[in-house]
Amino acid sequence: YGNFIDDLRLYVRGGTGGMGYPRLGGEGGRGGDVWFVAQERTTLKSVRDRYPQKRFVAGTGANSSVKALKGDKGKDCEVHVPLGISILCDDGKQIGELNAAGERFLAARGGLGGSLVTNFVPCKGQRRIVHLDLKLIADVGLVGFPNAGKSSLLSKISHAKPEIANYAFTTVQPELGKIMYADYKQILVADLPGLIEGAHANKGMGHKFLKHIERTKQLLLVVDVSGFQLSFKTPFRTAFETVLLLTKELELYKEELLTKPALLVINKMDLPCSKNNLDDLTKQLQNPQDFLHLIQEEMIPANTLEFKDIIPVSTYTGEGIEELKTRIRKSIDEEAEQENEEYRKKKLLLLQASE
């Protein structure tokens, strides 16, 4: 999976409390806490490189003394983590998440200082093993089978420079690129490792890939107009079958993914017969029910994806690229306007209720 890390296992321990002072009823200071703090321009790789032991222990509380009957609290330990982090216990249960810069999560609480309640004996801090699970936050996520041209597309529409070659798995780690517009608007696009059939069951990169789609606002399905075959051992899939299979993989992994706004990019329009293939695909997508009897039952998703737009492009000649950038911008703006409208309606209802 290259140098990209999207899961990190850490040991965290809150500080032990300080000793109490029985003769004068003095209280020891509380142990320090361990906090995860979301920060931009931070990666899990930088956390691992900076703290190779992957252990985070907060400071011990100060002991109570004649000079200071109430001991000072131990020093907190702050760990800067990237945005889009889910915090999981060792048993896989999610206990928190950090999505915006500055958000904080208490990972391990410090122990109480020695006092009358504890018979002046300090308590140990909370200790546990946690997993930091990263899900990329992007406006648009590129979804497609290997060799559909996602990396080439990302390099054409943004300033990203992913590895590009004519073999299946060039993208072995997620790539992020920004589409820059003339009015300085920026849209973040994530190119994610190619899906294969059975990815929902964690085949290939399975869940390592699919989990990153969860945080993208919109999906951009990229399909080769002439169809797809992973290897000579696997069956050939037409463009229509590819769309159905991609939908099926998303549905089986998490049904809510199909509720995201989606655009369909038909790539490799420079190839021979591409116009005929595109006409066939358009007919099939307009009336999918008429063609489902030709397809194996296990390939058919229960729900179909509604595409806001279908855009034919060629990353080789550059045909349709500007049109695609315009459509992506339009789609993002429409969704933002819709969210604002819903927010305004909620505020209005709250105001009316309070009156």
Side-chain angles (χ1 to χ4, degrees):
Y1 212 49
N3 284 326
F4 182 81
I5 298 173
D6 57 7
D7 182 76
L8 199 59
R9 189 169 179 262
L10 308 173
Y11 172 81
V12 290
R13 192 179 85 211
T16 306
M19 291 293 290
Y21 202 106
R23 193 158 59 86
L24 298 173
E27 274 185 34
R30 248 195 66 204
D33 304 317
V34 180
W35 292 89
F36 292 143
V37 184
Q39 189 179 55
E40 288 175 347
R41 295 193 177 90
T42 301
T43 64
L44 287 184
K45 185 178 184 298
S46 67
V47 176
R48 188 194 64 180
D49 292 348
R50 195 171 173 190
Y51 307 101
Q53 300 293 319
K54 295 183 283 187
R55 286 172 58 88
F56 298 93
V57 181
T60 305
N63 294 335
S64 172
S65 65
V66 175
K67 291 179 182 175
L69 288 177
K70 174 77 174 166
D72 290 336
K73 183 176 184 283
K75 190 179 179 186
D76 286 349
C77 171
E78 286 195 355
V79 188
H80 292 131
V81 297
L83 278 57
I85 284 285
S86 296
I87 299 123
L88 313 174
C89 285
D90 219 16
D91 60 4
K93 185 185 173 190
Q94 185 171 321
I95 51 176
E97 59 180 21
L98 300 170
N99 294 320
E103 282 188 0
R104 298 164 67 84
F105 175 79
L106 181 59
R109 193 180 291 280
L112 291 172
S115 65
L116 190 61
V117 178
T118 63
N119 207 18
F120 298 99
V121 177
C123 300
K124 288 185 175 178
Q126 184 182 14
R127 63 179 70 194
R128 59 182 168 188
I129 287 170
V130 294
H131 287 264
L132 300 185
D133 189 41
L134 175 69
K135 293 174 186 171
L136 290 175
I137 300 174
D139 297 305
V140 179
L142 300 184
V143 182
F145 284 133
N147 227 13
K150 299 188 306 303
S151 298
S152 304
L153 188 66
L154 185 71
S155 68
K156 288 283 183 186
I157 62 175
S158 76
H159 296 290
K161 293 186 170 44
E163 187 182 338
I164 297 162
N166 63 353
Y167 52 86
F169 288 103
T170 18
T171 307
V172 291
Q173 62 186 49
E175 292 273 358
L176 283 174
K178 274 182 186 171
I179 308 178
M180 314 284 278
Y181 292 91
D183 61 353
Y184 303 106
K185 166 90 173 176
Q186 297 179 7
I187 289 176
L188 199 61
V189 182
D191 170 25
L192 305 153
L195 272 174
I196 61 168
E197 288 180 49
H200 70 276
N202 214 9
K203 279 189 187 174
M205 292 185 180
H207 293 176
K208 257 190 181 301
F209 158 78
L210 284 162
K211 71 173 186 179
H212 291 296
I213 303 176
E214 292 178 46
R215 302 255 175 130
T216 56
K217 293 177 188 171
Q218 302 201 6
L219 304 179
L220 192 69
L221 268 69
V222 185
V223 171
D224 186 333
V225 70
S226 53
F228 166 72
Q229 187 172 18
L230 184 61
S231 72
F232 65 90
K233 293 178 184 176
T234 58
F236 173 79
R237 304 299 190 195
T238 64
F240 180 57
E241 288 174 332
T242 305
V243 173
L244 291 180
L245 277 168
L246 286 171
T247 308
K248 182 88 173 172
E249 290 301 332
L250 296 175
E251 179 183 72
L252 289 172
Y253 175 70
K254 198 166 268 191
E255 219 170 306
E256 304 93 85
L257 293 178
L258 299 188
T259 61
K260 288 181 184 285
L263 300 172
L264 178 61
V265 175
I266 313 298
N267 193 16
K268 307 194 182 179
M269 288 303 294
D270 52 285
L271 295 176
C273 304
S274 58
K275 293 280 188 287
N276 294 338
N277 289 337
L278 179 63
D279 291 341
D280 292 345
L281 177 59
T282 308
K283 283 176 198 164
Q284 289 164 331
L285 289 172
Q286 279 170 349
N287 301 297
Q289 301 304 324
D290 298 348
F291 300 92
L292 293 182
H293 66 279
L294 304 169
I295 291 165
Q296 296 165 344
E297 203 172 320
E298 62 270 17
M299 286 169 57
I300 302 168
N303 303 292
T304 51
L305 258 175
E306 293 292 324
F307 296 110
K308 293 181 77 173
D309 260 322
I310 298 173
I311 309 110
V313 304
S314 166
T315 52
Y316 182 71
T317 63
E319 174 198 341
I321 296 297
E322 287 305 314
E323 173 70 8
L324 173 61
K325 285 163 77 171
T326 307
R327 300 280 184 94
I328 291 172
R329 169 73 184 267
K330 186 183 169 199
S331 180
I332 291 282
D333 287 349
E334 281 173 0
E335 290 303 316
E337 184 54 44
Q338 200 174 325
E339 278 178 23
N340 288 341
E341 189 59 39
E342 284 170 10
Y343 178 75
R344 283 196 290 268
K345 281 178 183 171
K346 277 182 189 172
K347 280 284 187 190
L348 193 61
L349 285 169
L350 283 169
L351 275 169
Q352 287 168 346
S354 64
E355 284 169 6

